[in-house]
Amino acid sequence: MEPALLGGKLTSALIGPLVRKLFRADGPGAGLVDRPVRLAALVSFRGEKRTLTDRDVHRLAAKLVTRAADSPGEPPFPADETTAVTDALAARLLALGDLDMDDAQAVRLGHRELASRLARSAPTPAHLAVDSAYFLDSATEWACLHILEFFTRRSTFLARTLVEQSRTQAQLIARIDELISRVPRPDVGDTAFERRYRDYVTARHKHITIYGIDLRDSPDRWPLEVAYLSLEATAQSRPADPSWTMTGGIPSEPGTTQLPAEDVLTGGPRRVLLRGDAGSGKTTLVQWLAVTAARDGDLVPYVLPLRTLVRAPALPAPGAFLDAVGCPHAPPAGWAERVLTTGRGLVLVDGLDEVPAADRRRARDWLTALVAAFPDNRWLLTSRPTAVRADWLADEGFGETTLSPMRRAEVATFVRRWHAAAGAAEFEERLLDSLRTKRDLARLATNPLMCGLICALHRERRGYLPTGRKELYDAALAMLLTRRDRERGMGAVDGVELGEEAQVEILQRIAYALVLSGRTEMDLGTAEGIVERCLPSIVSAGRQGDARTILDTLLLRSGLLRQPAHGVIDFVHRTFQDHLGARYAVEEGHLDVLVSRADDTQWEDVIRMAVAHARPRERASLIRRLLDLDTPRTTLQALACLEQAATVDSGVRREVEERAAGLIPPATTREAWELAKAGPLVLELLPGPEALTDEEAHAVTVSASLLAEAEPDAALAVLRRFRGHPSLDVRRQLVGTWHRFDAGPYLSEVLSRVSREELVLDVETEAQLAALTAGPAWPLLHLGGPLDLREIARSPEHRREVSRLDIIGNALLTDVGWLSGFTALRSLYISDCPNVTDLSVLPRLSLDSLGYCGGSPPRELPEMGGLKVLHLETHLPAEGAAAVLPRRAPLKLLSLRQSNGTGLSLTGIAAWQTLCHLALRNPPRTPEDWRELALLPLLVCLSLYGNPATSVAGLPVLPHVQHLDLNFCADQEVLTRYAERLPGLTSIALMNGAPAGAEKQQHVTALLSALFPRLVRIDIS
């Protein structure tokens, strides 16, 4: 019978008390002792404190057996074996006192194992029937269930169990510690090694190398932190990838995002294929990412140059990464796998384009396997654009990113950092000026490699670039075509290794074909045909492969050709196309072709480079033929060619300089306009202010301003030279032309250095306003358009220094209360601001001059007692303008206009006896109004802007008036009447409508001189 079935016959309520009698009651305390308490000490039928005898135990067993046998149902064993079963059960219960264990150990054994121990101590009698033996075993197990349950309820059991567990744990910890001391953990040395490795990465990559520069004073290694320049990258966004805009990326066009290059692995895909042209900064970016990661400590960088790795028979597994790149530090066993498994790796694989095509498949398989094994890391692979197809790693989750060409601001930053690192600050500004004014030089400086070369050449020549650009381009070609790969240890790619001369021969034929066609791109098939035709004449190239193989090698390794779209090639820099095309034109004797294109702006640089490549006789002939065309443009072209000529016939040089002297510098504004028509070429030839008259300096700035739209950087460079010029006309030109430029750079580079005396600065755009408020204060400001003018009020410097404000056409403006803090403000003009209703601040300002053009005159005018100049164009009251004028103001100039076009009422105007100048834009209404003018004793200047014939009808005799402003009039009768009423006139200005032609103006001048005998000045405009 199973114990569970037996338990159904004997309830716990009846049997539990019988089992508990077998053990002693709990004593005081928790029972925490040093050694376990054995069962022999717990049973109630042993020891000095026993409460049961063996007979009592026998009686308990008899009760159990009897109650089981008497329960309803089938008898569990034969009735005649009741005594034998009772004796056997009693023997097993008594065996509890003989077990060598404690109660905790008994509980761990379980009821079945405890019953087995008791059965082995008191075996089943051999003469018992099978049913009786089965009942005995079942009853023993059932009794053990109650015994163990009784143990777990004893107050001392839990405490003793915890003590034993603590002892066991302490022993286990001691044994584990001993094991660890004998066998260290696999990663126990990782932290110390990573510290050493990060220091090594920082030291190894903290300098950048410019290959191919062997100039005497120019080191080829620069500190990374000084030389590194944050460039932009264009990321190809995929639908499954998040946008980079969260991390500062700027959407450029559909499907692309602009972001800083160092953020290509931040916020977007964790795997990136980075493409960039030769010298665009791919390797430098890899170094920057590695050093940054090493210093930050979040990621462990691995810099893996593929050109080094592929030399081995097999590409390395993670454990061999450091050995493969020559790292002298030996990592702990399994360290690399542990780093990559936890996703802490930054794997930077540089130079996919630098390995043969056959090895690129092997590199792809190797990289794919690594990414699959360790997917949670960050991966960057660099390559030139044409090395692999667009989707080469798309299936592995790699995003496509391309390094962008350097912008002008980045070029300037690079130049400044280069000179700071080289300790050559004295050459910096001169080079920046050349980069702005020399268009072909600026087109060359579009990546760090070429910028570095230009800086080095400029310093080598003590602040001067080569006399001609040919030397610069030749140095660039030598570096790009052969030296850079050779100095980096690059061998033949795909079995093709072309010398510099062979490459130049092929490239110049492609370039000349592009120049002749007037294009910058060529079909791949056309280019392949050109290569095919020239291979027989190039022995070294003909032995190394067919035309397509040679062309592919040039696309991949030359650094000059690229494939901007499928099936199309072009030169990375237009200036290389012009340089090589000119070289081929000279070699083939195509001087006639060059001269025939002299008026084509696309051929300017080609012709200049042809002069540089030509032999002396060819050079003189080409320049003379340009002069023979006898146009300002070709004369200037000839002058520009002299710069490219290492030597030139002295007679030719003298003739060019004499012809050009009549054009540069321009002497007048008219000549400046004519000179600007020759195009941006002029900017390279315009002189600085040295040795120029004020008129010539002004004319030069006019020419440069007119060419700003075509070449803003070059024009800016010219105007920068004049920022310290004292002439008011020059300074006005510099201030008046800033709308043609980017506001911020122009303000900081030109206007901030100009003397501001008498100069009003026009601010009409948000960009201009932002530039103004970010820089030093400008005292005289003309603010036009819907701008938030409170920005100016936030500048303490502007509040202290602005003395004049003209606010024109601002519909956003509702009040001018923000002007209360402008302590230096003396002149204010508000016009066409329809929503300005609150002018209560006006009496609190210390204004000398106020102009207001609006619906009705401000109510505050009578309270402005300090005004000396007042311009009003408004709805003047019918009772007369005097009703709204400031009562106690010592007005000297008063300009009035009735905005509804009706006549003016001047009643009471004579109260302002201080008036010296009165300007009337509407005629007075009545003779009485005219007579008010005769009551102004200090009136010496009169401006009448209405019809001259109408105005003179009511004009009284005013002998004190010395100057008259009048709309143009040639009528002798009308002018005679003015002469009668203004006998003291010494100057007159006739405006708005002067006749064309000098003869007619001379006639009017003679008439005025005859009518006004005291005239000393006549202006007709």
Side-chain angles (χ1 to χ4, degrees), residues 23 37-43 45-46 92-103 105-106 109 113-122 144 147-148 151:
F23 300 94
V37 179
R38 302 298 177 183
L39 291 184
L42 295 177
V43 297
F45 48 83
R46 293 280 184 89
R92 291 185 177 182
L93 294 176
L94 289 171
L96 286 169
D98 297 327
L99 293 178
D100 187 19
M101 65 176 66
D102 54 38
D103 52 357
Q105 291 173 331
L109 283 178
E113 181 59 29
L114 181 61
S116 297
R117 295 280 185 98
L118 296 177
R120 287 196 294 273
S121 298
C144 285
I147 290 169
L148 296 184
F151 285 164

mmCIF file of all heavy atoms in Angstrom, residues 23 37-43 45-46 92-103 105-106 109 113-122 144 147-148 151:
data_model
loop_
_atom_site.group_PDB
_atom_site.id
_atom_site.type_symbol
_atom_site.label_atom_id
_atom_site.label_comp_id
_atom_site.label_asym_id
_atom_site.label_seq_id
_atom_site.Cartn_x
_atom_site.Cartn_y
_atom_site.Cartn_z
ATOM 1 N N PHE A 23 10.113 11.947 19.753
ATOM 2 C CA PHE A 23 11.220 12.914 19.878
ATOM 3 C C PHE A 23 10.983 13.828 21.054
ATOM 4 O O PHE A 23 9.855 14.095 21.458
ATOM 5 C CB PHE A 23 11.331 13.747 18.592
ATOM 6 C CG PHE A 23 11.606 12.897 17.370
ATOM 7 C CD1 PHE A 23 10.556 12.440 16.573
ATOM 8 C CD2 PHE A 23 12.909 12.539 17.049
ATOM 9 C CE1 PHE A 23 10.813 11.649 15.470
ATOM 10 C CE2 PHE A 23 13.142 11.750 15.942
ATOM 11 C CZ PHE A 23 12.114 11.303 15.139
ATOM 12 N N VAL A 37 23.598 18.311 15.783
ATOM 13 C CA VAL A 37 22.964 17.481 16.815
ATOM 14 C C VAL A 37 22.414 16.232 16.143
ATOM 15 O O VAL A 37 21.580 16.308 15.241
ATOM 16 C CB VAL A 37 21.821 18.246 17.519
ATOM 17 C CG1 VAL A 37 21.166 17.362 18.571
ATOM 18 C CG2 VAL A 37 22.359 19.524 18.145
ATOM 19 N N ARG A 38 22.874 15.055 16.599
ATOM 20 C CA ARG A 38 22.475 13.796 15.990
ATOM 21 C C ARG A 38 21.057 13.413 16.400
ATOM 22 O O ARG A 38 20.547 13.855 17.426
ATOM 23 C CB ARG A 38 23.442 12.679 16.396
ATOM 24 C CG ARG A 38 24.898 12.961 16.027
ATOM 25 C CD ARG A 38 25.074 13.105 14.527
ATOM 26 N NE ARG A 38 26.434 13.432 14.141
ATOM 27 C CZ ARG A 38 26.814 13.667 12.897
ATOM 28 N NH1 ARG A 38 25.912 13.610 11.929
ATOM 29 N NH2 ARG A 38 28.061 13.975 12.636
ATOM 30 N N LEU A 39 20.478 12.511 15.576
ATOM 31 C CA LEU A 39 19.122 12.051 15.882
ATOM 32 C C LEU A 39 19.076 11.307 17.218
ATOM 33 O O LEU A 39 18.075 11.336 17.931
ATOM 34 C CB LEU A 39 18.604 11.148 14.763
ATOM 35 C CG LEU A 39 18.319 11.820 13.403
ATOM 36 C CD1 LEU A 39 17.722 10.797 12.441
ATOM 37 C CD2 LEU A 39 17.379 12.985 13.566
ATOM 38 N N ALA A 40 20.166 10.655 17.544
ATOM 39 C CA ALA A 40 20.208 9.898 18.807
ATOM 40 C C ALA A 40 19.977 10.793 20.004
ATOM 41 O O ALA A 40 19.470 10.354 21.058
ATOM 42 C CB ALA A 40 21.553 9.167 18.943
ATOM 43 N N ALA A 41 20.355 12.088 19.862
ATOM 44 C CA ALA A 41 20.155 13.021 20.961
ATOM 45 C C ALA A 41 18.772 13.637 20.949
ATOM 46 O O ALA A 41 18.396 14.339 21.884
ATOM 47 C CB ALA A 41 21.211 14.127 20.892
ATOM 48 N N LEU A 42 18.019 13.405 19.856
ATOM 49 C CA LEU A 42 16.708 14.018 19.741
ATOM 50 C C LEU A 42 15.580 13.056 20.111
ATOM 51 O O LEU A 42 14.484 13.503 20.489
ATOM 52 C CB LEU A 42 16.497 14.518 18.295
ATOM 53 C CG LEU A 42 17.416 15.644 17.807
ATOM 54 C CD1 LEU A 42 17.116 15.957 16.351
ATOM 55 C CD2 LEU A 42 17.277 16.886 18.656
ATOM 56 N N VAL A 43 15.806 11.708 19.980
ATOM 57 C CA VAL A 43 14.702 10.767 20.243
ATOM 58 C C VAL A 43 14.376 10.743 21.732
ATOM 59 O O VAL A 43 15.236 11.004 22.587
ATOM 60 C CB VAL A 43 15.055 9.351 19.743
ATOM 61 C CG1 VAL A 43 15.232 9.365 18.231
ATOM 62 C CG2 VAL A 43 16.324 8.826 20.438
ATOM 63 N N PHE A 45 13.393 8.192 23.439
ATOM 64 C CA PHE A 45 13.547 6.885 24.113
ATOM 65 C C PHE A 45 15.015 6.562 24.336
ATOM 66 O O PHE A 45 15.379 5.423 24.547
ATOM 67 C CB PHE A 45 12.874 5.760 23.303
ATOM 68 C CG PHE A 45 13.229 5.768 21.833
ATOM 69 C CD1 PHE A 45 14.407 5.171 21.388
ATOM 70 C CD2 PHE A 45 12.383 6.374 20.916
ATOM 71 C CE1 PHE A 45 14.699 5.183 20.066
ATOM 72 C CE2 PHE A 45 12.695 6.380 19.594
ATOM 73 C CZ PHE A 45 13.868 5.785 19.138
ATOM 74 N N ARG A 46 15.912 7.564 24.300
ATOM 75 C CA ARG A 46 17.333 7.393 24.577
ATOM 76 C C ARG A 46 17.788 8.502 25.503
ATOM 77 O O ARG A 46 17.182 9.557 25.614
ATOM 78 C CB ARG A 46 18.169 7.455 23.287
ATOM 79 C CG ARG A 46 17.918 6.280 22.323
ATOM 80 C CD ARG A 46 18.697 5.038 22.794
ATOM 81 N NE ARG A 46 18.538 3.944 21.839
ATOM 82 C CZ ARG A 46 19.321 3.752 20.813
ATOM 83 N NH1 ARG A 46 20.283 4.593 20.551
ATOM 84 N NH2 ARG A 46 19.126 2.723 20.017
ATOM 85 N N ARG A 92 11.888 -0.783 13.527
ATOM 86 C CA ARG A 92 12.349 0.271 12.610
ATOM 87 C C ARG A 92 12.260 1.656 13.260
ATOM 88 O O ARG A 92 13.143 2.523 13.046
ATOM 89 C CB ARG A 92 11.530 0.257 11.317
ATOM 90 C CG ARG A 92 11.825 -0.987 10.477
ATOM 91 C CD ARG A 92 11.124 -0.963 9.137
ATOM 92 N NE ARG A 92 11.495 -2.133 8.342
ATOM 93 C CZ ARG A 92 11.079 -2.385 7.102
ATOM 94 N NH1 ARG A 92 10.266 -1.502 6.504
ATOM 95 N NH2 ARG A 92 11.460 -3.478 6.476
ATOM 96 N N LEU A 93 11.203 1.892 14.045
ATOM 97 C CA LEU A 93 11.115 3.179 14.724
ATOM 98 C C LEU A 93 12.240 3.336 15.745
ATOM 99 O O LEU A 93 12.812 4.429 15.892
ATOM 100 C CB LEU A 93 9.749 3.337 15.401
ATOM 101 C CG LEU A 93 8.548 3.423 14.446
ATOM 102 C CD1 LEU A 93 7.252 3.481 15.261
ATOM 103 C CD2 LEU A 93 8.647 4.628 13.534
ATOM 104 N N LEU A 94 12.558 2.248 16.448
ATOM 105 C CA LEU A 94 13.649 2.309 17.417
ATOM 106 C C LEU A 94 15.004 2.514 16.736
ATOM 107 O O LEU A 94 15.939 3.054 17.332
ATOM 108 C CB LEU A 94 13.677 1.034 18.263
ATOM 109 C CG LEU A 94 12.521 0.877 19.269
ATOM 110 C CD1 LEU A 94 12.541 -0.523 19.873
ATOM 111 C CD2 LEU A 94 12.650 1.921 20.375
ATOM 112 N N ALA A 95 15.099 2.129 15.476
ATOM 113 C CA ALA A 95 16.358 2.298 14.749
ATOM 114 C C ALA A 95 16.681 3.777 14.505
ATOM 115 O O ALA A 95 17.826 4.123 14.144
ATOM 116 C CB ALA A 95 16.306 1.566 13.415
ATOM 117 N N LEU A 96 15.704 4.674 14.674
ATOM 118 C CA LEU A 96 15.989 6.101 14.542
ATOM 119 C C LEU A 96 17.100 6.537 15.488
ATOM 120 O O LEU A 96 17.903 7.426 15.166
ATOM 121 C CB LEU A 96 14.716 6.926 14.820
ATOM 122 C CG LEU A 96 13.627 6.926 13.742
ATOM 123 C CD1 LEU A 96 12.341 7.551 14.294
ATOM 124 C CD2 LEU A 96 14.101 7.714 12.529
ATOM 125 N N GLY A 97 17.137 5.929 16.658
ATOM 126 C CA GLY A 97 18.159 6.301 17.631
ATOM 127 C C GLY A 97 19.534 5.835 17.255
ATOM 128 O O GLY A 97 20.518 6.268 17.868
ATOM 129 N N ASP A 98 19.657 4.937 16.294
ATOM 130 C CA ASP A 98 20.961 4.420 15.909
ATOM 131 C C ASP A 98 21.542 5.102 14.657
ATOM 132 O O ASP A 98 22.701 4.839 14.282
ATOM 133 C CB ASP A 98 20.846 2.913 15.651
ATOM 134 C CG ASP A 98 20.440 2.143 16.912
ATOM 135 O OD1 ASP A 98 20.851 2.588 17.996
ATOM 136 O OD2 ASP A 98 19.691 1.168 16.769
ATOM 137 N N LEU A 99 20.733 5.932 13.980
ATOM 138 C CA LEU A 99 21.229 6.574 12.747
ATOM 139 C C LEU A 99 22.261 7.653 13.078
ATOM 140 O O LEU A 99 22.066 8.500 13.963
ATOM 141 C CB LEU A 99 20.075 7.210 11.958
ATOM 142 C CG LEU A 99 19.043 6.237 11.350
ATOM 143 C CD1 LEU A 99 17.938 7.017 10.650
ATOM 144 C CD2 LEU A 99 19.726 5.282 10.396
ATOM 145 N N ASP A 100 23.368 7.661 12.319
ATOM 146 C CA ASP A 100 24.461 8.631 12.547
ATOM 147 C C ASP A 100 24.240 9.865 11.665
ATOM 148 O O ASP A 100 24.991 10.125 10.727
ATOM 149 C CB ASP A 100 25.811 7.987 12.247
ATOM 150 C CG ASP A 100 26.968 8.895 12.635
ATOM 151 O OD1 ASP A 100 26.748 9.833 13.443
ATOM 152 O OD2 ASP A 100 28.079 8.707 12.088
ATOM 153 N N MET A 101 23.200 10.632 11.950
ATOM 154 C CA MET A 101 22.885 11.857 11.182
ATOM 155 C C MET A 101 22.085 12.779 12.064
ATOM 156 O O MET A 101 21.611 12.395 13.135
ATOM 157 C CB MET A 101 22.098 11.529 9.905
ATOM 158 C CG MET A 101 20.709 10.947 10.161
ATOM 159 S SD MET A 101 19.773 10.675 8.630
ATOM 160 C CE MET A 101 20.731 9.404 7.877
ATOM 161 N N ASP A 102 21.950 14.041 11.582
ATOM 162 C CA ASP A 102 21.118 14.997 12.304
ATOM 163 C C ASP A 102 19.830 15.220 11.519
ATOM 164 O O ASP A 102 19.640 14.671 10.425
ATOM 165 C CB ASP A 102 21.857 16.319 12.553
ATOM 166 C CG ASP A 102 22.397 16.918 11.270
ATOM 167 O OD1 ASP A 102 21.705 16.825 10.232
ATOM 168 O OD2 ASP A 102 23.510 17.501 11.275
ATOM 169 N N ASP A 103 18.936 16.054 12.080
ATOM 170 C CA ASP A 103 17.639 16.241 11.443
ATOM 171 C C ASP A 103 17.756 16.926 10.076
ATOM 172 O O ASP A 103 17.014 16.622 9.139
ATOM 173 C CB ASP A 103 16.683 17.020 12.355
ATOM 174 C CG ASP A 103 17.298 18.324 12.861
ATOM 175 O OD1 ASP A 103 18.478 18.583 12.540
ATOM 176 O OD2 ASP A 103 16.605 19.095 13.565
ATOM 177 N N GLN A 105 20.242 16.665 7.939
ATOM 178 C CA GLN A 105 20.681 15.653 6.979
ATOM 179 C C GLN A 105 19.527 14.730 6.604
ATOM 180 O O GLN A 105 19.395 14.314 5.437
ATOM 181 C CB GLN A 105 21.840 14.847 7.553
ATOM 182 C CG GLN A 105 23.120 15.643 7.696
ATOM 183 C CD GLN A 105 24.213 14.879 8.436
ATOM 184 O OE1 GLN A 105 23.902 14.028 9.294
ATOM 185 N NE2 GLN A 105 25.462 15.184 8.129
ATOM 186 N N ALA A 106 18.687 14.402 7.580
ATOM 187 C CA ALA A 106 17.547 13.526 7.317
ATOM 188 C C ALA A 106 16.587 14.165 6.330
ATOM 189 O O ALA A 106 16.078 13.521 5.404
ATOM 190 C CB ALA A 106 16.822 13.192 8.634
ATOM 191 N N LEU A 109 17.886 13.934 2.885
ATOM 192 C CA LEU A 109 17.763 12.591 2.316
ATOM 193 C C LEU A 109 16.391 12.373 1.675
ATOM 194 O O LEU A 109 16.279 11.733 0.628
ATOM 195 C CB LEU A 109 17.959 11.529 3.412
ATOM 196 C CG LEU A 109 19.407 11.253 3.864
ATOM 197 C CD1 LEU A 109 19.388 10.223 4.983
ATOM 198 C CD2 LEU A 109 20.249 10.767 2.707
ATOM 199 N N GLU A 113 14.519 7.699 1.240
ATOM 200 C CA GLU A 113 15.864 7.267 1.620
ATOM 201 C C GLU A 113 15.955 7.045 3.127
ATOM 202 O O GLU A 113 16.624 6.114 3.596
ATOM 203 C CB GLU A 113 16.884 8.330 1.158
ATOM 204 C CG GLU A 113 18.339 7.972 1.470
ATOM 205 C CD GLU A 113 18.778 6.654 0.829
ATOM 206 O OE1 GLU A 113 18.227 6.298 -0.235
ATOM 207 O OE2 GLU A 113 19.669 5.985 1.401
ATOM 208 N N LEU A 114 15.254 7.881 3.900
ATOM 209 C CA LEU A 114 15.247 7.672 5.361
ATOM 210 C C LEU A 114 14.579 6.341 5.704
ATOM 211 O O LEU A 114 15.075 5.586 6.575
ATOM 212 C CB LEU A 114 14.514 8.833 6.038
ATOM 213 C CG LEU A 114 14.432 8.765 7.579
ATOM 214 C CD1 LEU A 114 15.842 8.762 8.188
ATOM 215 C CD2 LEU A 114 13.626 9.952 8.124
ATOM 216 N N ALA A 115 13.488 6.046 5.018
ATOM 217 C CA ALA A 115 12.805 4.753 5.262
ATOM 218 C C ALA A 115 13.723 3.604 4.884
ATOM 219 O O ALA A 115 13.757 2.568 5.573
ATOM 220 C CB ALA A 115 11.505 4.694 4.477
ATOM 221 N N SER A 116 14.497 3.723 3.802
ATOM 222 C CA SER A 116 15.428 2.662 3.400
ATOM 223 C C SER A 116 16.497 2.454 4.466
ATOM 224 O O SER A 116 16.913 1.310 4.760
ATOM 225 C CB SER A 116 16.081 3.009 2.066
ATOM 226 O OG SER A 116 15.108 3.091 1.045
ATOM 227 N N ARG A 117 17.024 3.584 5.022
ATOM 228 C CA ARG A 117 18.032 3.446 6.085
ATOM 229 C C ARG A 117 17.459 2.669 7.275
ATOM 230 O O ARG A 117 18.133 1.795 7.857
ATOM 231 C CB ARG A 117 18.471 4.853 6.544
ATOM 232 C CG ARG A 117 19.185 5.671 5.486
ATOM 233 C CD ARG A 117 20.647 5.281 5.357
ATOM 234 N NE ARG A 117 21.336 6.152 4.427
ATOM 235 C CZ ARG A 117 22.071 7.199 4.787
ATOM 236 N NH1 ARG A 117 22.186 7.495 6.069
ATOM 237 N NH2 ARG A 117 22.672 7.915 3.873
ATOM 238 N N LEU A 118 16.193 2.990 7.651
ATOM 239 C CA LEU A 118 15.574 2.289 8.789
ATOM 240 C C LEU A 118 15.340 0.806 8.462
ATOM 241 O O LEU A 118 15.511 -0.072 9.320
ATOM 242 C CB LEU A 118 14.250 2.958 9.160
ATOM 243 C CG LEU A 118 14.340 4.400 9.677
ATOM 244 C CD1 LEU A 118 12.941 4.962 9.934
ATOM 245 C CD2 LEU A 118 15.178 4.487 10.953
ATOM 246 N N ALA A 119 14.951 0.547 7.195
ATOM 247 C CA ALA A 119 14.705 -0.848 6.797
ATOM 248 C C ALA A 119 15.999 -1.655 6.843
ATOM 249 O O ALA A 119 16.000 -2.850 7.183
ATOM 250 C CB ALA A 119 14.084 -0.887 5.419
ATOM 251 N N ARG A 120 17.133 -1.000 6.470
ATOM 252 C CA ARG A 120 18.408 -1.744 6.527
ATOM 253 C C ARG A 120 18.833 -1.987 7.970
ATOM 254 O O ARG A 120 19.490 -2.986 8.276
ATOM 255 C CB ARG A 120 19.489 -0.943 5.777
ATOM 256 C CG ARG A 120 19.306 -0.975 4.253
ATOM 257 C CD ARG A 120 20.576 -0.527 3.554
ATOM 258 N NE ARG A 120 20.898 0.874 3.808
ATOM 259 C CZ ARG A 120 20.425 1.879 3.079
ATOM 260 N NH1 ARG A 120 19.601 1.637 2.056
ATOM 261 N NH2 ARG A 120 20.764 3.113 3.364
ATOM 262 N N SER A 121 18.455 -1.077 8.860
ATOM 263 C CA SER A 121 18.791 -1.285 10.277
ATOM 264 C C SER A 121 17.892 -2.357 10.920
ATOM 265 O O SER A 121 18.324 -3.071 11.847
ATOM 266 C CB SER A 121 18.639 0.035 11.047
ATOM 267 O OG SER A 121 19.526 1.010 10.551
ATOM 268 N N ALA A 122 16.634 -2.459 10.462
ATOM 269 C CA ALA A 122 15.696 -3.474 11.002
ATOM 270 C C ALA A 122 15.034 -4.157 9.828
ATOM 271 O O ALA A 122 13.918 -3.795 9.417
ATOM 272 C CB ALA A 122 14.657 -2.808 11.906
ATOM 273 N N CYS A 144 7.915 8.086 8.002
ATOM 274 C CA CYS A 144 9.054 8.988 7.731
ATOM 275 C C CYS A 144 8.579 10.332 7.184
ATOM 276 O O CYS A 144 9.187 11.380 7.440
ATOM 277 C CB CYS A 144 10.019 8.328 6.753
ATOM 278 S SG CYS A 144 11.013 7.013 7.519
ATOM 279 N N ILE A 147 7.691 12.178 10.170
ATOM 280 C CA ILE A 147 8.904 12.499 10.951
ATOM 281 C C ILE A 147 9.630 13.722 10.358
ATOM 282 O O ILE A 147 10.013 14.647 11.076
ATOM 283 C CB ILE A 147 9.838 11.263 11.000
ATOM 284 C CG1 ILE A 147 9.194 10.170 11.876
ATOM 285 C CG2 ILE A 147 11.210 11.630 11.520
ATOM 286 C CD1 ILE A 147 9.904 8.832 11.774
ATOM 287 N N LEU A 148 9.819 13.699 9.036
ATOM 288 C CA LEU A 148 10.544 14.818 8.407
ATOM 289 C C LEU A 148 9.738 16.107 8.506
ATOM 290 O O LEU A 148 10.305 17.190 8.702
ATOM 291 C CB LEU A 148 10.835 14.497 6.935
ATOM 292 C CG LEU A 148 11.779 13.300 6.694
ATOM 293 C CD1 LEU A 148 12.066 13.158 5.208
ATOM 294 C CD2 LEU A 148 13.076 13.455 7.473
ATOM 295 N N PHE A 151 10.337 17.436 11.859
ATOM 296 C CA PHE A 151 11.669 18.072 11.991
ATOM 297 C C PHE A 151 11.634 19.530 11.492
ATOM 298 O O PHE A 151 12.191 20.428 12.131
ATOM 299 C CB PHE A 151 12.708 17.297 11.198
ATOM 300 C CG PHE A 151 13.131 15.997 11.855
ATOM 301 C CD1 PHE A 151 13.808 15.038 11.131
ATOM 302 C CD2 PHE A 151 12.837 15.735 13.197
ATOM 303 C CE1 PHE A 151 14.207 13.864 11.706
ATOM 304 C CE2 PHE A 151 13.227 14.538 13.772
ATOM 305 C CZ PHE A 151 13.910 13.571 13.038
#
